Amino acid sequence: MNATYKVKVNKDFEYTIDQEEVSKTDIIQTSDSKFHLLDKNKSYHSEIIQSDFNNKKYSIKVNSNTYEVDIADSLEMMIAEMGFSVGASKQVNSIKSPMPGLIIDIQVAVGQTVEEEDYLLVLEAMKMENIITSPRAGTIKSIEVEKGDAVDKGKLLIEFE
């Protein structure tokens, strides 16, 4: 499988790159944090100034310019596309529909306390039942849909207090 990454530079520019593109780049490590790159016959000297490996955030100096770089892999991109976020499940305050569909069951009520992974509702999409579970422990603040509602992708379903 060819891994794909979304790279955000200085929070302004986004690039999608894959493992094949990376393998075509000639990279030589010259020290613990310094590299020499040769890409399309252009030479680049780079250095990793700061790295937060767990959050995939880096500060990189290329030639004489410094860049802030965030990297997301295929799984993180898919989770974000569904309206969730990686590593921040304890901070989720609302659940949005990950796809268009039909609400066929709601198992919670406003004011109810739920635990992480508790069954909240069922969204039918493309003749498949998708069980939406709670991303965190908390109390249901509001339910924005009713059984039988048709929803679009991104529609607010449930809010937490």
Side-chain angles (χ1 to χ4, degrees), residues 38-50:
L38 191 59
D39 184 43
K40 298 177 185 143
N41 296 323
K42 284 190 175 183
S43 178
Y44 301 94
H45 295 279
S46 63
E47 179 179 5
I48 300 173
I49 297 169
Q50 276 187 319

Side-chain angles (χ1 to χ4, degrees), residues 79-103:
I79 290 170
E81 191 175 300
M82 292 174 65
F84 298 104
S85 61
V86 177
S89 62
K90 307 298 183 233
Q91 300 169 14
V92 173
N93 291 320
S94 63
I95 297 175
K96 296 180 181 178
S97 179
M99 64 194 82
L102 181 69
I103 303 298

Side-chain angles (χ1 to χ4, degrees), residues 76-127:
E76 292 164 327
M77 289 186 285
M78 183 172 40
I79 290 170
E81 191 175 300
M82 292 174 65
F84 298 104
S85 61
V86 177
S89 62
K90 307 298 183 233
Q91 300 169 14
V92 173
N93 291 320
S94 63
I95 297 175
K96 296 180 181 178
S97 179
M99 64 194 82
L102 181 69
I103 303 298
I104 60 171
D105 192 21
I106 299 174
Q107 289 291 310
V108 292
V110 173
Q112 182 176 337
T113 301
V114 295
E115 296 299 319
E116 187 171 348
E117 299 298 319
D118 278 359
Y119 175 109
L120 301 177
L121 56 85
V122 178
L123 173 70
E124 183 183 83
M126 298 182 289
K127 300 186 183 201

Side-chain angles (χ1 to χ4, degrees), residues 32-89:
D32 285 343
S33 63
K34 293 183 180 183
F35 300 84
H36 182 261
L37 287 80
L38 191 59
D39 184 43
K40 298 177 185 143
N41 296 323
K42 284 190 175 183
S43 178
Y44 301 94
H45 295 279
S46 63
E47 179 179 5
I48 300 173
I49 297 169
Q50 276 187 319
S51 66
D52 180 353
F53 182 77
N54 290 334
N55 292 314
K56 298 183 180 118
K57 296 178 184 279
Y58 304 90
S59 181
I60 299 172
K61 187 174 184 179
V62 179
N63 295 337
S64 60
N65 299 311
T66 302
Y67 303 96
E68 299 302 316
V69 179
D70 298 316
I71 301 172
D73 62 21
S74 304
L75 176 61
E76 292 164 327
M77 289 186 285
M78 183 172 40
I79 290 170
E81 191 175 300
M82 292 174 65
F84 298 104
S85 61
V86 177
S89 62

Side-chain angles (χ1 to χ4, degrees), residues 137-157:
T139 304
I140 304 297
K141 178 180 176 182
S142 68
I143 301 171
E144 301 297 321
V145 292
E146 294 179 8
K147 188 175 176 179
D149 284 357
V151 297
D152 291 324
K153 178 181 177 178
K155 163 83 170 129
L156 179 63
L157 302 175

